[in-house]
Amino acid sequence: MDLYALTIHELQGLLARKEVTPLDLTEAVFDRIESVEDRVNAFITLNKEQALLQAAEAGRQLEMGEGGPLCGIPLSIKDVLCTKGLRTTAGSKILEPFVPPYNATVVEKLEQAGAVIVGKTSMDEFAMGSANENCVYGVPKNPWKPDFICGGSSGGSAASVAADECIASLGSDTGGSIRQPASHCGIVGLKPTYGRVSRFGLLAYASSLDQVGPLTKDVTDCALMLNVISGYDRRDSTSVNCEVPDYCASLIDGLEGMIIGIPQEYFGEGLDPEVEAAVKNAVEKLGDAGAIIREVSLPHTEYGVAAYYIIAPAEASSNLARYDGVKYGMRVMEADSLLDMYKRTRSQGFGDEVKRRIIMGTYALSSGYYDAYYKKASQVRTLIIEDYKKAFVDCDVLVSPVTPSPAWKIGEKSHDPLSMYLSDVLTIPANLAGIPGLSVPCGFSSAGLPIGMQIQGAHFAEKKLLKVGYNLEKRLDIVGKKPSL
Ligand code: GLN
């Protein structure tokens, strides 16, 4: 049995019955990494020494009949979450030497639950991208087809899960960065409701949109991970203090009474026919499970990308001001003055896409342009929120594709930022509204690339999303299919 290929819930049983030890499992995962990582390139930093110590400790806990829900489970973490004593780069040269003195709250929660941290995964620099190509540490390869992108910006996390280099992972999603790579790599990814999961220790990209969430091999694991990472955190002022339900309790067979909306705007021009066919087939399966299917309209969907690419860069231009060569990471020493040091450090430390966003954001916020851009974008955001509010009066969830097309070839869009931005059209609205979105595999293209279905719900409706995802997974013969590496 290949231990690394199993899910959290399968391993929990084996570990509890002592048929496997956390050390066996962790060693199996590192052997797997050794054999496939040169073809996948999912990791920026590996944490083997520390992981083996964590596994030994998890083993002791299990021996004594203790240990949390993730005891001994090897996980990877997107390199945008602070890990105490373990380098955290955000995929950027400017943070190449940065070793955080503290853990992000979510990392702390994983460790308290007994998880073993395998390493930090590749990402677009500061989470800006849709293909994981904006990375100074090398581009990760799609495990299903090595010359194709994994999707961004949590591409390394998705690839590490799909390639069985870990059991599950954590990513972050500002405009689709968990759902898109999950979809392109054939795994499950959830962006929770804004405020459900703490952002403390998440290196900020666009603070009003960023949210941390799990990438897993199936929906059950997604619920298990969400149980661990959710909850109020006084160190995050946008964290919401409301009860955390048991998400696993929502994994029930049958969708009787559930009303599922199909937003017609998500099936418009530019949608790849194979994606459309796979999603429509999946919708039928949800109908077979007892759900009532209904068409709905989200009329402002098409303005989401334009609004997002004002709001996100505006927030980024402010958030990234902190990387000045003084407080964190690298510093260019050859400088004539303090100002010159700032300039040289930022010029050499940031990549092209990050600079483009800082310039766009600064421009959009500058006096004289604020009303025309930022204010207008905020108004569009409100319209998108209203669209959803109306849709959720009649529907429990909305289902659609995650991305307009399957993964594309590495390099195909990297010189055309606009076409890259447009690939976010179906995922951005959920971030603008702060609602949850789940990506679940629903088919393959004729070229053998995975296709995902997106399930969106009202604020804090994660249980409904997981229930629909679970029912889809049960009715499609996809989970457990693995890329041949
Ligand atoms: N592709 C989007 C962007 O580049 C979203 C990225 C994300 O969700 N972090 O901003």
Side-chain angles (χ1 to χ4, degrees):
M1 180 177 34
D2 291 329
L3 292 176
Y4 54 76
L6 300 179
T7 59
I8 299 176
H9 58 97
E10 288 165 339
L11 287 163
Q12 278 176 333
L14 294 176
L15 289 162
R17 291 193 299 274
K18 304 203 173 65
E19 287 167 38
V20 169
T21 68
L23 215 46
D24 297 337
L25 174 58
T26 304
E27 276 165 0
V29 165
F30 277 102
D31 287 348
R32 173 71 175 172
I33 292 174
E34 204 153 289
S35 76
V36 300
E37 177 61 4
D38 60 337
R39 278 167 286 150
V40 182
N41 197 32
F43 288 93
I44 294 177
T45 307
L46 286 168
N47 188 37
K48 186 166 181 181
E49 216 174 286
Q50 204 51 37
L52 291 172
L53 291 175
Q54 288 173 333
E57 172 55 27
R60 269 191 294 277
Q61 290 184 3
L62 287 171
E63 276 299 321
M64 300 196 321
E66 295 166 3
L70 298 177
C71 196
I73 304 287
L75 304 177
S76 70
I77 295 185
K78 185 177 183 179
D79 210 17
V80 74
L81 287 160
C82 285
T83 40
K84 186 175 177 179
L86 179 61
R87 183 168 79 129
T88 301
T89 68
S92 182
K93 192 173 161 203
I94 210 161
L95 286 179
E96 196 176 347
F98 176 56
V99 178
Y102 63 91
N103 275 327
T105 297
V106 284
V107 173
E108 215 170 79
K109 281 177 180 268
L110 293 182
E111 290 195 352
Q112 275 163 9
V116 170
I117 308 300
V118 171
K120 305 296 292 291
T121 54
S122 179
M123 55 180 286
D124 283 297
E125 186 175 0
F126 285 103
M128 297 173 185
S130 314
N132 210 143
E133 291 175 301
N134 305 327
C135 177
V136 288
Y137 304 95
V139 177
K141 314 267 167 50
N142 192 310
W144 293 90
K145 260 183 176 268
D147 42 348
F148 283 70
I149 57 129
C150 300
S153 64
S154 314
S157 282
S160 68
V161 174
D164 289 324
E165 295 180 276
C166 61
I167 309 303
S169 188
L170 276 190
S172 68
D173 190 311
T174 305
S177 280
I178 290 174
R179 290 160 287 160
Q180 288 179 14
S183 174
H184 290 318
C185 292
I187 60 162
V188 172
L190 173 72
K191 179 201 99 69
T193 303
Y194 186 76
R196 172 80 298 181
V197 176
S198 169
R199 292 184 297 110
F200 178 78
L202 167 71
L203 303 183
Y205 161 17
S207 314
S208 78
L209 302 158
D210 298 338
Q211 189 59 196
V212 179
L215 293 109
T216 57
K217 294 180 188 179
D218 69 6
V219 175
T220 303
D221 278 7
C222 184
L224 279 164
M225 290 280 284
L226 189 61
N227 275 349
V228 172
I229 61 172
S230 292
Y232 175 66
D233 180 8
R234 63 174 180 81
R235 294 178 295 186
D236 170 4
S237 62
T238 58
S239 157
V240 177
N241 196 353
C242 69
E243 194 207 328
V244 179
D246 175 11
Y247 290 105
C248 293
S250 57
L251 308 176
I252 304 165
D253 198 16
L255 294 174
E256 289 76 20
M258 178 87 79
I259 301 179
I260 295 182
I262 313 290
Q264 59 192 64
E265 291 80 3
Y266 282 58
F267 291 82
E269 207 188 321
L271 182 62
D272 181 287
E274 290 190 323
V275 171
E276 178 165 2
V279 172
K280 293 213 159 140
N281 172 55
V283 170
E284 267 178 39
K285 304 278 177 206
L286 298 177
D288 296 345
I292 300 161
I293 313 291
R294 203 174 266 176
E295 273 217 347
V296 293
S297 176
L298 298 169
H300 298 94
T301 302
E302 66 170 307
Y303 306 110
V305 170
Y308 172 91
Y309 278 98
I310 297 291
I311 293 170
E315 294 185 22
S317 70
S318 164
N319 276 327
L320 270 57
R322 74 190 64 173
Y323 304 107
D324 56 5
V326 176
K327 299 188 249 341
Y328 319 88
M330 67 168 258
R331 174 185 302 172
V332 173
M333 299 300 280
E334 307 74 41
D336 302 332
S337 64
L338 182 62
L339 193 63
D340 190 41
M341 188 280 286
Y342 292 158
K343 276 192 200 159
R344 285 174 192 258
T345 300
R346 287 169 69 83
S347 300
Q348 291 178 32
F350 288 138
D352 287 350
E353 186 59 30
V354 172
K355 287 178 188 158
R356 185 180 295 127
R357 307 274 178 117
I358 292 173
I359 292 168
M360 284 199 291
T362 311
Y363 180 83
L365 290 177
S366 56
S367 84
Y369 294 108
Y370 178 91
D371 282 355
Y373 296 106
Y374 188 78
K375 192 172 163 205
K376 203 85 195 155
S378 302
Q379 287 167 336
V380 171
R381 186 175 193 172
T382 303
L383 293 174
I384 286 173
I385 295 171
E386 296 297 325
D387 280 359
Y388 277 122
K389 272 196 188 146
K390 281 186 205 134
F392 291 127
V393 170
D394 296 325
C395 299
D396 292 292
V397 299
L398 304 172
V399 304
S400 68
V402 181
T403 56
S405 73
W408 53 89
K409 275 213 159 129
I410 292 174
E412 200 179 303
K413 294 190 186 180
S414 41
H415 301 293
D416 183 1
L418 197 59
S419 91
M420 192 78 92
Y421 299 168
L422 286 171
S423 68
D424 301 339
V425 61
L426 308 178
T427 47
I428 276 174
N431 300 78
L432 289 172
I435 61 166
L438 176 68
S439 172
V440 179
C442 75
F444 288 90
S445 70
S446 48
L449 288 159
I451 295 171
M453 170 184 258
Q454 175 170 232
I455 308 162
Q456 301 179 78
H459 295 115
F460 298 102
E462 280 84 352
K463 280 181 84 169
K464 287 185 186 172
L465 270 54
L466 292 163
K467 187 174 177 184
V468 174
Y470 180 75
N471 275 273
L472 181 65
E473 183 177 87
K474 272 189 159 284
R475 282 162 183 80
L476 290 172
D477 188 23
I478 294 182
V479 168
K481 280 215 171 97
K482 303 270 185 191
S484 52
L485 269 165

